[in-house]
Amino acid sequence: MTYELDSTPTDESQPADDPPATGESNAAHDREHDGSDEGCTTESSAAGTGSGIEESLGVTIPDDHVGAFVAQAFEDVERSTEWTEAVEAVVADEARDAWRSLSARQQVVELLTMADRYDERATDLLEGIPLDRGGLDDDLRERFEEATRLRRNADVLRDGIAAGYAEGRVGDDELVAAVEDFEFDTASIAEREDALDTVANTYDLDFRPYGGTLMTEREPDEDAEEFEAW
């Protein structure tokens, strides 16, 4: 099977009070993903053509390297999340046996599902912040901080998946199959980042761009962020 990158331009979570996931219930979560895959797609889904700036540019990825490419796409270069760290953050102790009964592919789908929920919730919170105020009151600032927390959780989970691949817990075929089962689409991340960028620029707020460096003068060690599944 040949895979391609689809670089067609796009317009670019689970609620904070949700309990840790059980590893069983998430598999039944109904997901609707609009638009074409922005990440790893099959030839048929990346074969669309257009004109001018809308034209899709295909870059063929050999089969032997698809898993590594997907893992790298999930990796957060500023984090060093371990697979067990991501799992322990979202799978309750009483659900560990059920979690271990899942295949590696199913486990990745579960983590992608939870990350997607965090992203959706973060985007909703950010888009609910008005842009016509002179500044943020305490309620709106709490909304922004909660959105960035949910966003951080989503990124930690995907970074954990990349770590699982690097640690040999998830194989190439399992990772690719999970991404296809989930129908992963980077458009949801892009939408989240657009909403964050708009709010942060409107109110001159510090934030860490996706895969980038925190926009602040503080020392890096002071900016360490942990997963907060509360």
Side-chain angles (χ1 to χ4, degrees):
M1 184 185 300
T2 301
Y3 281 71
E4 295 184 353
L5 292 180
D6 185 354
S7 60
T8 304
T10 62
D11 294 327
E12 338 202 283
S13 132
Q14 133 188 93
D17 56 354
D18 276 4
T22 64
E24 291 179 312
S25 61
N26 286 289
H29 177 58
D30 291 327
R31 301 182 301 274
E32 294 182 358
H33 297 274
D34 298 324
S36 61
D37 290 342
E38 295 298 319
C40 199
T41 63
T42 61
E43 263 186 58
S44 59
S45 64
T49 59
S51 59
I53 196 171
E54 295 299 326
E55 185 173 354
S56 176
L57 302 178
V59 180
T60 300
I61 303 173
D63 289 352
D64 293 344
H65 299 286
V66 174
F69 169 79
V70 173
Q72 186 175 22
F74 286 158
E75 182 180 358
D76 187 326
V77 296
E78 295 194 337
R79 300 187 190 281
S80 57
T81 311
E82 295 181 359
W83 169 266
T84 53
E85 178 185 352
V87 170
E88 290 173 358
V90 293
V91 180
D93 291 342
E94 60 271 20
R96 295 294 167 80
D97 288 341
W99 174 264
R100 284 190 286 269
S101 70
L102 299 176
S103 67
R105 185 196 71 201
Q106 291 171 321
Q107 290 177 344
V108 172
V109 170
E110 291 292 304
L111 293 179
L112 287 174
T113 299
M114 286 182 267
D116 194 56
R117 291 177 182 175
Y118 282 126
D119 280 339
E120 290 175 356
R121 180 62 178 150
T123 301
D124 288 344
L125 286 171
L126 291 166
E127 291 182 342
I129 297 177
L131 304 176
D132 57 352
R133 307 290 178 85
L136 295 179
D137 57 24
D138 290 342
D139 180 64
L140 292 178
R141 187 171 292 276
E142 287 181 8
R143 178 185 289 260
F144 178 80
E145 292 174 353
E146 174 66 358
T148 57
R149 184 188 72 81
L150 293 167
R151 169 182 181 258
R152 180 171 66 249
N153 286 355
D155 293 343
V156 166
L157 289 184
R158 280 187 286 263
D159 193 44
I161 293 173
Y165 176 83
E167 296 166 12
R169 296 173 181 270
V170 182
D172 290 82
D173 292 342
E174 295 164 323
L175 181 59
V176 173
V179 170
E180 292 183 336
D181 288 348
F182 182 74
E183 298 180 2
F184 177 74
D185 189 341
T186 58
S188 60
I189 300 176
E191 183 180 6
R192 181 198 73 183
E193 291 302 286
D194 276 352
L196 174 65
D197 185 66
T198 297
V199 173
N201 286 331
T202 298
Y203 295 108
D204 194 25
L205 301 170
D206 291 337
F207 74 101
R208 186 192 300 274
Y210 188 65
T213 303
L214 187 69
M215 304 297 287
T216 179
E217 296 178 357
R218 289 175 297 192
E219 293 297 320
D221 289 344
E222 297 179 46
D223 303 323
E225 298 171 324
E226 299 296 333
F227 191 103
E228 300 177 77
W230 44 262

